[in-house]
Amino acid sequence: MKQLNISIKHNLIVGLLIALWIFVFAFIIRPFDDGTLNFKSWLLISLGFSVLAFSCYSVLAFVQKWVYIKTSNWNVELEIVSLLSFYLIYLIGIYFYYKSPILKGGYNFTEFFLIIFSRVALILAPVIILARRYLIKLIPSNDDILTLRGENKLDILKINKADLVCISNAQNYVEIFYIENGKLTSKLLRISLRKVQEDFGFLMQIHRSHLINPMHFKSWRNQNTVVLTQIELPVSKNYKETLLTL
């Protein structure tokens, strides 16, 4: 495993699924029922264990995001440490809840670990592993993210491929037009138009000074002008035939 989905939203959804699974498991299956617990007790156990699971996994989501951003790396060792950390925090949380005045549990820590927590951890393991593996599939593909770099090290622009509208020559610079928050925005980078075309082959040249993202082609204004998303550009005769195929 070399990737990690650091989306807090996605991980909180997993946390909710884990909490729901624990509630169903504890309330309906009642895996450690010794015959002394009534309906109210099982409801309190189920709700408490579920809420604590969501809380602990939420903490894990923020911590693992911080670690990933700091290290720019994720591997099997970090994944195992993360899961063990979740289990440790969850064990401490539900044990104190179990011994609280709400439940007044009678097991000592060792008994609680062997009789209750071990079963909860066992049924949680496949759910967490499968959910976290599925989260990796939700990571945006690198092919969908464009990184444009100028000659200056600080000259960099990262945008979604679908947001790039066109790139125009501006003497020793290129002006990159892209959609941000629904509006057309531009940024200058010190780089040649030819270099951009070599790096991003999907761009279509319509003029010696203009490259366009075909996804944003809308219509022809007239024989020499095309309409793109929120912008119009001239078309050279040399490139008109290619553009007519769109």
Side-chain angles (χ1 to χ4, degrees), residues 71-95:
T71 63
S72 298
N73 179 49
W74 200 257
N75 51 40
V76 175
E77 289 76 13
L78 286 172
E79 181 72 6
I80 293 173
V81 169
S82 295
L83 294 180
L84 291 178
S85 298
F86 165 74
Y87 275 126
L88 178 60
I89 298 171
Y90 187 49
L91 169 60
I92 295 172
I94 61 174
Y95 179 71

Side-chain angles (χ1 to χ4, degrees), residues 158-177:
K158 285 190 175 185
I159 56 175
N160 289 326
K161 181 179 179 179
D163 292 334
L164 176 63
V165 178
C166 61
I167 301 178
S168 299
N169 191 39
Q171 295 184 350
N172 295 326
Y173 294 80
V174 295
E175 187 169 12
I176 302 162
F177 294 88

Side-chain angles (χ1 to χ4, degrees), residues 3-7 10 135-145 160:
Q3 288 182 303
L4 175 72
N5 189 332
I6 59 175
S7 168
H10 290 163
L135 284 183
I136 296 176
K137 297 181 180 180
L138 300 180
I139 300 174
S141 170
N142 289 334
D143 294 338
D144 295 333
I145 301 175
N160 289 326

Side-chain angles (χ1 to χ4, degrees), residues 21 25 87 116-129:
W21 173 238
F25 176 77
Y87 275 126
I116 296 179
F117 182 77
S118 61
R119 298 180 185 181
V120 174
L122 187 63
I123 65 101
L124 265 185
V127 176
I128 295 178
I129 292 172

